[in-house]
Amino acid sequence: MDAATRGTAHERGYTSAWAKARAGYLGKHPLCVHCLAEGRAVPASVVDHIINHKFKAAMDSGDAAAIAKAKALFWDSENNWQPLCKPHHDFKTGTEEGAFGRRERPGKEVFQI
């Protein structure tokens, strides 16, 4: 995905309100859930959206229903956020978005570190 398609962090919804919500979430959920599942306590540094919200694409479409759905996914801390370490987040995002020349493979693959 090229930078223009992906958009800036702000265009994707990562505003000062997000920074505040992210900090609060990591304060309450300080450990990477994938590392915990592997029996290791590793600090989380990223709040991951389990289901990609595709906020910029929704905004670009102008479709009110798509925008509402994207906003709901973006801010759903109860069901769509998870604390991850950077390696687990990078692996998950890379496989979902087809990064690094990989085929896009949606799903919840887990990377063992």
Side-chain angles (χ1 to χ4, degrees):
M1 175 182 301
D2 66 25
T5 302
R6 186 166 192 241
T8 65
H10 192 269
E11 288 172 329
R12 290 179 283 125
Y14 298 100
T15 61
S16 59
W18 166 256
K20 184 176 178 180
R22 176 195 172 278
Y25 187 83
L26 289 175
K28 292 177 184 174
H29 307 276
L31 300 176
C32 173
V33 294
H34 290 315
C35 290
L36 282 174
E38 297 165 2
R40 299 177 300 114
V42 174
S45 58
V46 179
V47 175
D48 174 60
H49 289 94
I50 298 166
I51 300 169
N52 187 334
H53 51 80
K54 300 185 184 214
F55 184 76
K56 183 180 183 307
M59 291 298 290
D60 288 349
S61 76
D63 180 335
I67 294 167
K69 181 180 177 181
K71 282 183 181 180
L73 280 172
F74 189 93
W75 291 108
D76 185 1
S77 63
E78 294 279 324
N79 301 299
N80 199 40
W81 292 6
Q82 65 181 344
L84 296 179
C85 64
K86 186 166 179 3
H88 274 124
H89 181 263
D90 290 353
F91 178 81
K92 176 187 177 282
T93 302
T95 58
E96 285 181 346
E97 295 180 355
F100 312 113
R102 296 185 191 130
R103 281 191 341 258
E104 189 168 330
R105 297 180 302 190
K108 293 185 180 179
E109 296 183 35
V110 175
F111 165 62
Q112 300 279 325
I113 55 173

